[in-house]
């Protein structure tokens, strides 16, 4: 299995746009031919669009874009810009002489970073869709990861900056990749290890605090509800929607391997999956590759982030 750029998976184009001053942004994954789509939502506080449509028993099997954004519920507006872009390109679900682009979305809460009035709007969504024509992806404080942070359990002043990340792998003609914008309640760890990457940080004492231990110590206190990890797995594997739904669910194992705690009532953890259905492949193999890719994408989102808005990051604490 070899590592490949996320942008090398044929049929998909990725674009990003952000407001660095306001601290928010949007990342768009587009398949103009229509990709089989699925979703698995585990967090207790999601902000999403068109997830019910992805139930295999419903009519639409193909989608044209997944949008990951900041802005919480306000940020859901950005997908309307993506819809407009796709309509102008003649991309969508055909109903007689009408074309309706199918765009799904999940948003994370970044309103406590930068400006609380800043969120991805239709114009930013349209710009990200336009930028996808260059098919360039940057990890770190870009796109949906612009305002992402972790470690907010003890207040924003104890959080650390994270962002968006990616990873992708190839075996023969089979390609599987993942993108993750990490704004989790829990700490970020290297997969299946005790190596902590980001979480609660006390700037006064310059010490890192374990979130799970903090939860136990704060048993009688209210928990902050500003957390979500939103992801998209993309592949060229030939899977039907039911199989792809299983893939999205199994890919949540990556969150369990890298985020502690995860899927809390305060999280909106959501994993989308999209496939261009080009390469026959075993679902178990694709799932193992997806879990590996998403695990690395989550760590990449933390390690690629830079200090912003007064928050330290892994890069500022662990690199000379």
């Amino acid at each position: 299995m070899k590592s490949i750029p996320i942008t090398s998976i044929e049929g998909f184009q990725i674009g990003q746009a952000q407001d660095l001053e306001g601290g928010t942004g949007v990342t768009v994954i587009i398949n103009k031919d229509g990709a089989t789509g699925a979703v698995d939502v585990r967090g207790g506080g999601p902000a999403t669009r068109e997830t019910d449509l992805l139930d295999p028993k419903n009519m639409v099997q193909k989608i044209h874009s997944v949008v990951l954004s900041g802005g919480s519920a306000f940020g859901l507006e950005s997908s309307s810009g993506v819809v407009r872009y796709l309509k102008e390109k003649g991309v969508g679900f055909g109903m007689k002489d009408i074309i309706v682009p199918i765009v799904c979305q999940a948003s994370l809460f970044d309103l406590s970073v930068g400006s609380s009035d800043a969120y991805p709007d239709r114009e930013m969504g349209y710009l990200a869709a336009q930028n996808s024509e260059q098919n360039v992806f940057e990890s770190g404080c870009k796109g949906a990861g612009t305002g992402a942070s972790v470690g907010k359990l003890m207040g924003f002043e104890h959080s650390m900056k994270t962002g968006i990340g990616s990873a992708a792998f190839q075996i023969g003609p089979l390609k599987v990749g993942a993108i993750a914008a990490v704004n989790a309640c829990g700490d970020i760890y290297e997969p299946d290890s005790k190596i902590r990457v980001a979480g609660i940080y006390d700037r006064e004492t310059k010490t890192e605090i374990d979130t799970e231990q903090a939860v136990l110590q704060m048993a009688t206190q209210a928990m902050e509800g500003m957390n979500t990890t939103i992801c998209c797995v993309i592949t060229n594997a030939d899977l039907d929607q039911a199989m792809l739904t299983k893939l999205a669910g199994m890919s949540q194992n990556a969150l369990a391997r890298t985020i502690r705690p995860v899927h809390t009532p305060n999280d909106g953890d959501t994993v989308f999956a999209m496939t261009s259905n080009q390469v026959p492949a075993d679902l178990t193999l694709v799932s193992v590759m997806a879990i590996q890719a998403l695990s690395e994408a989550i760590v990449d989102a933390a390690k690629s982030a830079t200090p912003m808005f007064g928050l330290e990051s892994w890069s500022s604490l662990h690199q000379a």
Side-chain angles (χ1 to χ4, degrees), residues 43-296:
T48 56
R49 166 183 170 142
E50 298 281 35
T51 51
D52 285 349
L53 193 70
L54 296 180
D55 189 315
K57 70 175 179 289
N58 289 333
M59 177 179 65
V60 174
Q61 302 291 304
K62 301 281 188 178
I63 64 175
H64 304 98
S65 179
V66 164
V67 177
L68 308 177
S69 84
S72 190
F74 299 107
L76 294 173
E77 178 184 327
S78 61
S79 56
S80 295
V82 181
V83 169
R84 177 163 61 90
Y85 167 85
L86 291 173
K87 184 177 184 296
E88 290 175 359
K89 298 294 182 181
V91 174
F93 180 75
M95 295 187 298
K96 295 186 178 180
D97 59 343
I98 301 172
I99 293 179
V100 180
I102 306 301
V103 177
C104 304
Q105 182 177 5
S107 299
L108 56 79
F109 188 101
D110 56 8
L111 301 177
S112 58
V113 175
S115 171
S116 60
D117 294 323
Y119 60 87
D121 56 15
R122 294 182 184 186
E123 288 70 28
M124 189 182 292
Y126 188 90
L127 178 59
Q130 279 187 319
N131 290 342
S132 74
E133 295 171 7
Q134 282 71 55
N135 196 28
V136 174
F137 177 86
E138 291 185 72
S139 296
C141 302
K142 302 288 186 178
T146 302
S149 60
V150 298
K152 297 179 286 287
L153 185 73
M154 297 176 67
F156 180 71
E157 65 276 8
H158 289 94
S159 60
M160 287 179 63
K161 192 71 184 72
T162 47
I164 194 167
S166 75
F169 300 104
Q170 180 174 0
I171 297 179
L174 176 63
K175 297 179 180 181
V176 183
I179 293 173
V182 179
N183 196 59
C185 175
D187 301 328
I188 311 304
Y189 285 82
E190 295 277 6
D192 301 315
S193 78
K194 295 183 179 180
I195 302 174
R196 188 175 182 269
V197 178
I200 302 174
Y201 180 72
D202 189 324
R203 281 180 268 182
E204 291 187 2
T205 61
K206 296 183 179 181
T207 58
E208 299 178 56
I209 299 171
D210 183 282
T211 294
E212 289 185 328
Q213 291 300 314
V215 168
L216 297 176
Q217 292 170 9
M218 298 168 62
T220 61
Q221 300 179 35
M223 304 295 176
E224 296 281 359
M226 304 184 294
N227 315 283
T228 290
T229 298
I230 50 179
C231 319
C232 186
V233 171
I234 60 175
T235 180
N236 60 4
D238 187 13
L239 305 174
D240 63 29
Q241 195 174 42
M243 297 168 72
L244 198 66
T245 301
K246 183 63 175 176
L247 174 64
M250 291 182 69
S251 297
Q252 291 273 9
N253 290 339
L255 277 68
R257 291 181 177 184
T258 56
I259 303 171
R260 306 173 197 168
V262 72
H263 305 145
T264 76
N266 299 324
D267 287 316
D269 300 326
T270 300
V271 176
F272 291 100
M274 303 172 73
T275 181
S276 57
N277 296 104
Q278 295 174 337
V279 177
D282 177 77
L283 176 58
T284 300
L285 171 61
V286 178
S287 298
V288 170
M289 293 175 69
I291 293 166
Q292 180 80 17
L294 186 49
S295 296
E296 294 200 11

Side-chain angles (χ1 to χ4, degrees), residues 292-316:
Q292 180 80 17
L294 186 49
S295 296
E296 294 200 11
I298 291 168
V299 174
D300 180 41
K303 288 190 172 182
S304 298
T306 53
M308 291 179 68
F309 307 106
L311 301 181
E312 299 288 356
S313 67
W314 182 88
S315 62
S316 64

